[in-house]
């Protein structure tokens, strides 16, 4: 049994074969409906290689295995982004090449192709990281002897060269012109707490404790195919409780009291992420202030805390970073140079 023509008179072909899996067990597989004999043979060959634990399979087959593994470990939003990157940026180049035949030179030439396009340095790094993750997967689980990504430096940069944020004066100038009560409350929360946009839009009445002046962040909202989807936060450390300044508590109390008979489970906000992001640019233009992204309100909060002299540990906890290292990596350039202060203190001891 292998490839044969179907007996239903359709003229199509089927593949029926045995293959050995990565544990050495033998299985039978059958698939019907191929238009050509060559298509059935190609399927048989690809399937056997993909499920036999060998790096002779095509890059596309390895990608399918890699993505299936990711789906049990990563959030759905992350999987969707990976699918788009592989579909548009990686598979067109490497899809039909056997994984074990891809060389560092091929990676180098692909990088050059990507860098000729108008992508940001951080997006280039994201694309490169996804490719490198697949080869690491092949190396770890399918015995890839030569990982071509290890021979070629990664393109792009991990963080943007210039971080955008508003000073307190700039923020006050913009927020003074926000005439939509719901948007105003959203921007106030983002600026004074540093939470992410999705975390803010997922807030319910029960998350706000006005007596203790805290907000509990336990979920995030994402927009997929026109629908709002609420999931767990970005990382484990993103589950946190953040203290609120008094004026923000007063604003939240007035906002909640203005809602129509809200229950504890009711969402505070009903604007889409895209609408919130687009509106802030309009208000910035109206205030004649440089436009920033909604996410940059988070950076604005962090820069304000740094200027106040808050420690990296406190900022990491407030922003929900995985570690202090993450905070320092993102915001180290905003910390003032203390060398002169150190020298002055040492001089006083001599």
């Amino acid at each position: 049994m292998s490839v044969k023509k179907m007996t239903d008179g359709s003229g199509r072909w089927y593949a029926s074969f045995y293959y050995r899996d990565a544990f050495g067990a033998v299985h039978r597989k059958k698939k019907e409906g191929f238009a050509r004999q060559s298509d059935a043979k190609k399927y048989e060959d690809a399937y056997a290689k993909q499920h036999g634990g060998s790096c002779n399979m095509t890059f596309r087959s390895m990608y399918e295995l890699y993505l299936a593994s990711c789906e049990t470990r990563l959030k759905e939003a992350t999987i969707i982004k990976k699918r788009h990157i592989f579909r548009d940026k990686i598979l067109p180049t490497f899809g039909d090449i056997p994984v074990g035949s891809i060389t560092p030179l091929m990676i180098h030439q692909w990088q050059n192709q990507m860098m000729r396009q108008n992508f940001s340095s951080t997006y280039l790094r994201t694309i490169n990281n996804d490719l490198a993750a697949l080869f690491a997967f092949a190396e770890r689980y399918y015995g890839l002897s030569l990982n071509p990504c290890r021979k070629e430096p990664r393109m792009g940069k991990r963080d943007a060269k210039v971080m955008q944020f508003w000073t307190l004066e700039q923020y006050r100038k913009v927020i003074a012109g926000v005439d939509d009560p719901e948007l105003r409350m959203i921007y106030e929360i983002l600026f004074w707490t540093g939470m992410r946009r999705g975390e803010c839009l997922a807030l319910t009445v029960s998350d706000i404790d006005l007596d203790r002046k805290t907000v509990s962040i336990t979920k995030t909202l994402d927009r997929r195919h026109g629908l709002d989807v609420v999931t767990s936060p970005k990382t484990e450390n993103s589950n946190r409780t953040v203290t609120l300044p008094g004026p923000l508590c007063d604003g939240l109390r007035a906002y909640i009291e203005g809602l129509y008979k809200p229950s504890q489970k009711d969402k505070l906000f009903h604007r889409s992420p895209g609408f919130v992001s687009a509106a802030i640019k309009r208000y910035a233009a109206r205030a004649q202030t440089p436009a920033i992204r909604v996410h940059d309100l988070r950076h604005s909060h962090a820069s304000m805390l740094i200027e106040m002299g808050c420690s990296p540990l406190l900022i990491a906890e407030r922003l929900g970073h995985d570690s202090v290292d993450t905070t320092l990596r993102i915001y180290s350039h905003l910390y003032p140079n203390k060398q002169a202060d150190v020298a002055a203190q040492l001089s006083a001891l001599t």
Side-chain angles (χ1 to χ4, degrees), residues 319-335:
L319 297 183
H321 285 160
D322 280 341
S323 67
V324 174
D325 289 343
T326 302
T327 306
L328 291 174
R329 175 176 58 80
I330 298 174
Y331 300 112
S332 61
H333 64 290
L334 296 180
Y335 280 89

Side-chain angles (χ1 to χ4, degrees), residues 160-302:
K161 186 176 182 180
V162 178
M163 178 178 294
Q164 294 182 304
F165 58 88
W166 280 336
T167 63
L168 180 57
E169 291 72 23
Q170 288 174 315
Y171 171 73
R172 283 176 170 164
K173 186 177 180 181
V174 175
I175 200 67
V178 178
D179 50 5
D180 183 308
E182 184 174 358
L183 284 174
R184 183 184 180 91
M185 196 72 259
I186 291 171
Y187 297 144
E188 290 275 55
I189 291 174
L190 294 176
F191 183 83
W192 292 106
T193 68
M195 72 175 67
R196 301 174 179 91
R197 179 187 63 181
E199 294 170 343
C200 178
L201 296 181
L203 290 176
T204 59
V205 175
S206 63
D207 295 324
I208 309 297
D209 190 331
L210 293 174
D211 294 328
R212 292 194 173 102
K213 296 184 178 181
T214 62
V215 55
S216 298
I217 301 170
T218 60
K219 50 193 174 295
T220 187
L221 180 141
D222 193 16
R223 192 81 168 173
R224 301 175 194 165
H225 309 297
L227 299 175
D228 289 340
V229 179
V230 176
T231 63
S232 58
K234 183 176 181 180
T235 65
E236 184 176 345
N237 284 353
S238 294
N239 287 282
R240 62 200 188 278
T241 299
V242 175
T243 55
L244 304 173
L248 180 58
C249 285
D250 295 338
L252 273 167
R253 179 176 284 107
Y255 178 82
I256 294 173
E257 289 175 352
L259 299 176
Y260 181 73
K261 297 181 179 179
S263 71
Q264 290 295 300
K265 295 182 180 180
D266 283 346
K267 287 175 55 180
L268 287 178
F269 309 114
H270 299 278
R271 298 300 177 88
S272 70
F275 185 87
V276 173
S277 296
I280 198 171
K281 293 180 172 59
R282 296 196 300 271
Y283 288 117
R286 185 183 301 178
Q288 297 183 333
T289 301
I292 63 174
R293 303 169 304 165
V294 165
H295 188 75
D296 293 323
L297 290 176
R298 179 173 166 87
H299 295 325
S300 302
H301 182 74

Side-chain angles (χ1 to χ4, degrees), residues 73-85:
R73 292 168 170 80
L74 301 178
K75 293 174 69 68
E76 184 180 354
T78 304
I79 295 297
I80 291 173
K81 292 175 183 176
K82 279 185 177 290
R83 286 185 185 277
H84 289 163
I85 286 176

